[in-house]
């Protein structure tokens, strides 16, 4: 078997499963579709195992368009786990809302394929193909409840801001190609480092790429779309969209700003510090006044993006690999914490048709649904960073990386905003047990 096929075997498995789902779905009655999610989950598990067993040998494939290494293996397995969890919490909710269609699972699989390509890409063209596959599938997922105005509004906002962000990234990549004469990450990095390259166009390219990625990960001041999209999207889709695209985007950000633009850290590190501080401020303060749980989790995710940007800054500032490792660990912890919190909201909506994702609906949950309240408490404490939860370990590792890079004042700022965020996470617990 050729290396090209081995490298994309997980993607081929997901494509085959998505095609089967789309072909079989029209032939099944509404009740018969209730097993399709397990077909998608099985595909994700099989693809993850395939990725794991291929981790021993590192190589590039498709004319150096993608790289199969430990970095891409980590992200591919994480993204497959996110997709499996999203499908696991979706089926009953879609059935109760009368929108149980195989198209939904196919869209999740196609979006996951795009994310995996973004994570393993080492060529600008390959990366952009993965980015657009992820983006187009995500827009459709946001508007999957097409009979609800909020869902259509979410899809339109997501599409417009997403297209705008893609244009920024594409413009930056075009400038990098024009300056270096290559689309390969390493060749661009060598050209930027060894020069000579005009400084003005290079700075403009960095600004375009940074702004585009800031839109994609909902970093302030490019964050306004995220809470509206999460609120209007179907709750299982919101869970997937709040995690998957961010994981894939940070996989690409680390490669862009270490392999290609690592030698220009003096240019982009100050910009990213400003983005990080603004994002933490917005995430921590705006979540304080939210009464809709999906919007609260939306602003919460914005705050976590701010912490992740701190670790990227630490990587660029010091060049130490500990910053990159901190990003990877934090993303894994965040993925399961956020998916779990949204999963509890899906569970509550499935068992109460009047549940509308508001804080007031959680009043007395500790007595009515003690197990759901207990699980939600665990996720809220973990998102807060209370020891010994995974969220505490992730934040401790991340802030340690920032301190190790010689940016202790940034770590202190991050810890202070983390304390502020504890208020709205703990408020959820107060509503469940004390109201």
């Amino acid at each position: 078997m050729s290396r090209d096929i081995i490298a994309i075997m997980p993607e081929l498995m997901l494509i085959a499963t998505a095609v089967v789902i789309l072909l079989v779905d029209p032939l099944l009655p509404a009740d018969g579709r209730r097993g399709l999610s397990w077909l998608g989950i099985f595909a994700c598990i099989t693809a993850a195992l395939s990725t794991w067993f291929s981790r021993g040998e590192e190589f590039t494939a498709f004319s150096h368009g993608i790289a199969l290494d430990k970095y891409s293996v980590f992200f591919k397995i994480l993204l497959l786990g996110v997709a499996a969890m999203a499908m696991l919490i979706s089926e009953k909710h879609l059935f109760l809302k009368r929108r149980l269609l195989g198209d939904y699972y196919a869209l999740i699989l196609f979006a996951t394929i795009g994310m995996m390509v973004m994570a393993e890409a080492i060529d600008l063209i390959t990366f952009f193909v993965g980015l657009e596959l992820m983006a187009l599938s995500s827009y459709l997922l946001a508007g999957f409840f097409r009979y609800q105005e909020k869902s259509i509004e979410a899809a339109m906002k997501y599409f417009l801001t997403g297209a705008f962000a893609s244009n920024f990234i594409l413009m930056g990549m075009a400038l990098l190609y024009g300056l270096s004469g290559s689309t390969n990450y390493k060749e661009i990095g060598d050209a930027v480092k060894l020069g000579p390259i005009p400084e003005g166009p290079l700075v403009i390219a960095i600004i375009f790429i940074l702004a585009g990625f800031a839109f994609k990960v909902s970093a302030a001041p490019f964050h306004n779309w995220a809470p509206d999209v999460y609120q209007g999207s179907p709750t299982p889709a919101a869970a997937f969209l709040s995690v998957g695209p961010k994981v894939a985007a940070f996989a690409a950000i680390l490669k862009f700003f270490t392999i290609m633009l690592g030698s220009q850290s003096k240019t982009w590190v100050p910009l990213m510090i400003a983005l990080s501080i603004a994002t933490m401020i917005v995430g921590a303060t705006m979540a304080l006044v939210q009464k809709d749980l999906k919007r609260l989790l939306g602003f919460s995710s914005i705050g976590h993006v701010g912490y992740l940007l701190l670790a990227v800054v630490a990587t660029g500032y010091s060049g130490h690999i500990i910053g990159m490792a901190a990003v990877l660990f934090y993303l894994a912890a965040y993925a399961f914490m956020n998916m779990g919190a949204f999963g509890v909201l899906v569970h509550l909506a499935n068992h109460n048709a009047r549940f509308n994702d508001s804080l007031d609906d959680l009043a007395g949950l500790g007595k009515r649904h003690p197990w759901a309240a207990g699980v939600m408490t665990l996720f809220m404490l973990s998102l807060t960073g209370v020891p010994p939860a995974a969220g505490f370990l992730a934040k401790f590792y991340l802030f340690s990386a920032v301190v190790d890079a010689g940016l202790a004042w940034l770590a202190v700022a991050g810890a202070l905003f983390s304390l502020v965020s504890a208020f709205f996470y703990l408020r959820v617990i107060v509503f469940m047990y004390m109201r």
Side-chain angles (χ1 to χ4, degrees):
M1 188 180 297
S2 70
R3 285 187 167 185
D4 289 352
I5 300 299
I6 293 174
I8 63 164
M9 182 61 72
E11 287 89 339
L12 292 176
M13 291 178 181
L14 298 191
I15 291 172
T17 304
V19 171
V20 169
I21 289 175
L22 291 174
L23 291 176
V24 170
D25 178 72
L27 306 177
L28 297 174
D31 291 341
R33 292 175 178 146
R34 298 198 68 174
L36 285 179
S37 63
W38 291 104
L39 185 59
I41 293 169
F42 176 76
C44 289
I45 294 173
T46 307
L49 291 174
S50 172
T51 303
W52 175 256
F53 288 122
S54 65
R55 74 191 186 282
E57 188 178 1
E58 299 186 0
F59 57 88
T60 61
F62 290 97
S63 301
H64 305 290
I66 62 174
L68 185 66
D69 50 24
K70 292 179 181 178
Y71 183 87
S72 60
V73 165
F74 171 86
F75 277 104
K76 288 169 77 169
I77 292 176
L78 178 57
L79 289 166
L80 288 166
V82 170
M85 287 188 289
M87 287 185 279
L88 185 64
I89 65 176
S90 296
E91 186 176 275
K92 185 175 181 180
H93 190 77
L94 296 176
F95 180 76
L96 293 173
K97 298 293 184 179
R98 302 176 182 269
R99 285 290 286 169
L100 182 57
L101 300 172
D103 309 25
Y104 178 87
Y105 305 120
L107 288 171
I108 287 182
L109 293 175
F110 283 128
T112 305
I113 294 167
M115 296 172 193
M116 292 163 66
V117 171
M118 289 173 62
E120 64 189 352
I122 52 172
D123 184 273
L124 295 178
I125 297 173
T126 307
F127 161 77
F128 198 74
V129 170
L131 175 68
E132 288 306 292
L133 178 57
M134 176 201 74
L136 293 173
S137 303
S138 299
Y139 306 150
L140 294 172
L141 283 171
F144 199 74
F145 285 176
R146 57 184 178 82
Y147 54 83
Q148 294 182 0
E149 290 184 6
K150 284 186 177 181
S151 187
I152 297 298
E153 179 186 352
M156 287 301 299
K157 286 183 177 179
Y158 201 9
F159 169 71
L160 293 174
T161 55
F164 195 61
S166 295
N167 286 332
F168 269 97
I169 294 174
L170 188 60
M171 186 63 185
M173 293 193 307
L175 285 171
L176 286 179
Y177 170 69
L179 294 170
S180 65
S182 175
T183 58
N184 182 270
Y185 289 5
K186 190 176 185 307
E187 292 176 2
I188 293 173
D190 291 340
V192 170
K193 183 177 181 179
L194 301 176
I197 285 181
E199 185 177 358
L202 183 58
V203 171
I204 294 173
I206 292 172
I207 292 173
F208 272 123
I209 290 173
L210 189 57
F213 276 120
F215 268 109
K216 291 296 183 183
V217 299
S218 64
F222 311 103
H223 66 281
N224 287 329
W225 62 269
D228 293 339
V229 170
Y230 299 161
Q231 183 183 23
S233 302
T235 307
F240 180 70
L241 297 176
S242 71
V243 174
K246 285 185 173 60
V247 172
F250 271 101
I253 286 171
L254 285 172
K255 284 189 174 182
F256 269 59
F257 290 96
T258 56
I259 298 177
M260 283 194 292
L261 301 170
S263 62
Q264 300 298 312
S265 59
K266 290 183 179 179
T267 300
W268 60 262
V269 161
L271 297 174
M272 198 170 286
I273 288 176
L275 274 179
S276 175
I277 294 174
T279 303
M280 289 188 292
I281 291 173
V282 169
T285 56
M286 293 301 294
L288 293 173
V289 297
Q290 302 302 319
K291 292 188 176 180
D292 184 281
L293 289 166
K294 289 164 74 173
R295 290 186 66 85
L296 187 150
L297 289 174
F299 281 108
S300 161
S301 70
I302 292 170
H304 287 285
V305 167
Y307 305 140
L308 286 162
L309 289 175
L310 287 181
V312 179
V313 166
T315 304
Y317 189 80
S318 67
H320 296 172
I321 196 171
I322 186 174
M324 185 179 293
V327 174
L328 270 58
F329 185 74
Y330 198 99
L331 283 171
Y334 166 76
F336 289 99
M337 293 185 298
N338 222 52
M339 290 292 295
F342 272 103
V344 174
L345 297 186
V346 174
H347 172 78
L348 296 175
N350 291 345
H351 287 79
N352 183 1
R354 296 181 180 179
F355 183 77
N356 63 358
D357 301 310
S358 73
L359 268 174
D360 293 331
D361 289 339
L362 292 182
L365 188 69
K367 292 184 178 180
R368 291 182 284 111
H369 297 283
W371 281 103
V375 172
M376 188 61 142
T377 300
L378 178 63
F379 288 127
M380 289 297 106
L381 292 176
S382 189
L383 286 167
T384 305
V386 174
F392 168 77
L393 297 175
K395 286 185 178 179
F396 180 80
Y397 192 15
L398 187 144
F399 292 147
S400 298
V402 177
V403 172
D404 184 71
L407 297 168
W409 67 275
L410 267 181
V412 171
L416 289 175
F417 287 118
S418 184
L419 287 176
V420 174
S421 68
F423 177 82
F424 57 81
Y425 290 129
L426 296 178
R427 187 170 61 156
V428 174
I429 300 174
V430 168
F431 268 77
M432 290 191 296
Y433 290 102
M434 302 179 187
R435 293 292 178 89

